[in-house]
């Protein structure tokens, strides 16, 4: 991936951050995007200290202008765009369908679903203009397939990403741009820690982890490896697809 350029949203934390580090370790120039600039700046400093090249851009993926600027910054800084990973996402507020406030539903949809749409819109435009193809990986979830009580907003946003990814693949495939959906299972990140606090340690250890075939949560580095595979030439015939990396959780539920 030397001299190729990767743009990663949600890079201030968790899966996005590990993915940015993994791309940099493979020699790619990396643009990291999220709302929290300090976290991005410290990630850039650590990539550069390890001999890589990286640049940060403060971005709100739910805002069209901000996303357009993110892509423009990438092209201005590194001159091309080869790989995009759309990892920005929130778990939002959990609540029953009869109680969940409309604004909480909208917030989750605006970041997880519309945000991914906006990112692909500008990312794909830049890739098409360059005419060199590319690979886009959106981040779904095991909840792209499975619902749970109080999860309607998050689950719907993640189900929607299957349709968005598949439609984008159908449009962009003929132009040499592959689009796939990586669906993580339980992965130890700040989002995971917030959810673990909600369910409680006892339920997490005795009720949830035993449902994973591998009997453990995944690491963000394990998601990053699968994401890099979906961007690499090793997956040259994979597009419009979902790749579930969940230690066996989905088939248990
Ligand atoms: N961890 C899991 O168990 C798990 C399982 C399945 C799927 N996922 C999915 O994996 C992705 C990454 O999650 P994670 O576990 O790494 O969570 P995380 O540690 O909370 O990271 C989420 C990232 O999204 C960014 N973000 C949120 N809203 C944003 C916005 N409006 N604009 C730009 N960036 C925004 C956050 O940065 P700022 O706050 O700085 O903006 C942060 O960098 C999410 O899509 C999540 O749904 C996670």
């Amino acid at each position: 991936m030397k001299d190729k350029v990767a743009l990663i949203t949600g890079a201030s934390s968790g899966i996005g951050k590990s993915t940015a580090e993994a791309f940099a370790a493979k020699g790619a120039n990396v643009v990291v995007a999220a709302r929290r600039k300090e976290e991005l700046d410290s990630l850039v400093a650590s990539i550069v200290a390890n001999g890589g090249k990286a640049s940060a851009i403060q971005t709100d993926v739910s805002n069209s202008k901000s996303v357009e600027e993110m892509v423009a910054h990438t092209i201005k800084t590194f001159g091309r765009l080869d790989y995009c990973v759309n990892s920005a996402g929130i778990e939002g507020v959990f609540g029953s369908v009869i109680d969940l406030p409309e604004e909480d539903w909208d917030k989750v949809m605006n970041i997880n679903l519309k945000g991914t749409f906006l990112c692909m819109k500008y990312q794909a435009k830049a890739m098409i203009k360059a005419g060199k193809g590319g690979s886009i990986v959106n981040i779904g979830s095991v909840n792209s397939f499975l619902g749970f009580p109080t999860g309607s907003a998050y689950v719907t946003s993640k189900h929607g990403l299957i349709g968005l990814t598949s439609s984008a693949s159908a449009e962009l495939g003929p132009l040499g741009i592959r689009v796939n959906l990586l669906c993580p299972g339980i992965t130890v990140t700040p989002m995971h820690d917030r959810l673990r606090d909600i369910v409680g340690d006892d339920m997490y250890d005795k009720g949830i982890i035993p449902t994973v075939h591998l009997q453990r949560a995944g690491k963000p580095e394990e998601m990053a490896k699968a994401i890099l595979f979906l961007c690499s030439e090793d997956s040259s015939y994979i597009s419009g697809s979902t790749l579930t990396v969940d230690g066996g959780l989905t088939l248990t539920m």
Side-chain angles (χ1 to χ4, degrees), residues 175-240:
L175 305 171
I177 300 165
R178 296 185 294 110
V179 191
N180 288 293
L181 188 69
L182 189 279
C183 296
I186 303 162
T187 311
V188 181
T189 67
M191 181 186 285
H192 160 279
D193 296 345
R194 292 190 293 274
L195 297 174
R196 184 178 176 144
D197 283 347
I198 292 173
V199 298
D201 284 348
D202 202 47
M203 177 62 182
Y204 180 86
D205 291 336
K206 296 182 188 150
I208 296 179
I209 291 300
T211 65
V212 181
H213 294 180
L214 298 183
Q215 303 289 293
R216 67 171 176 87
K219 300 174 195 153
E221 298 81 10
E222 291 175 308
M223 302 304 142
K225 279 182 193 164
I227 292 165
L228 258 67
F229 164 69
L230 286 176
C231 286
S232 75
E233 271 304 299
D234 290 344
S235 64
S236 55
Y237 197 56
I238 302 179
S239 193

Side-chain angles (χ1 to χ4, degrees), residues 8-18 33-40 57-63 66-67 70 86-91 107 110-112 115-116 119 138-144 154 157-158 161 182-195 217-218 220 223 227 245:
I8 296 116
T9 74
S12 61
S13 174
I15 294 170
K17 184 178 179 189
S18 286
R35 295 168 300 184
R36 284 169 296 163
K37 186 71 166 45
E38 266 182 33
E39 275 79 353
L40 295 176
I57 175 92
Q58 190 171 32
T59 306
D60 178 352
V61 296
S62 65
N63 180 295
S66 179
V67 173
M70 170 185 81
N86 295 317
S87 189
I90 58 167
E91 66 276 25
K107 196 170 176 202
N110 283 339
I111 294 175
N112 293 6
T116 306
C119 286
N138 297 324
I139 306 300
S141 168
V142 287
N143 298 119
S144 296
Y154 183 76
S157 73
K158 294 295 181 182
L161 289 175
L182 189 279
C183 296
I186 303 162
T187 311
V188 181
T189 67
M191 181 186 285
H192 160 279
D193 296 345
R194 292 190 293 274
L195 297 174
M223 302 304 142
I227 292 165
V245 182

Side-chain angles (χ1 to χ4, degrees), residues 4-8 11 16-17 19-33 43-44 47 52-56 73-74 77-78:
K4 297 278 180 76
V5 177
L7 166 58
I8 296 116
K17 184 178 179 189
T19 302
E21 290 167 341
F23 271 114
K26 289 276 179 199
N29 299 333
V30 176
V31 173
V32 292
L43 175 59
V44 167
I47 289 173
K53 281 192 200 154
S55 175
H73 172 84
T74 306
T77 308
F78 290 123

Side-chain angles (χ1 to χ4, degrees), residues 126-150:
M127 285 175 168
I128 292 166
K129 196 170 167 203
K132 293 181 184 133
S135 175
I136 298 174
V137 178
N138 297 324
I139 306 300
S141 168
V142 287
N143 298 119
S144 296
F145 312 102
L146 304 168
F148 62 92
T150 76

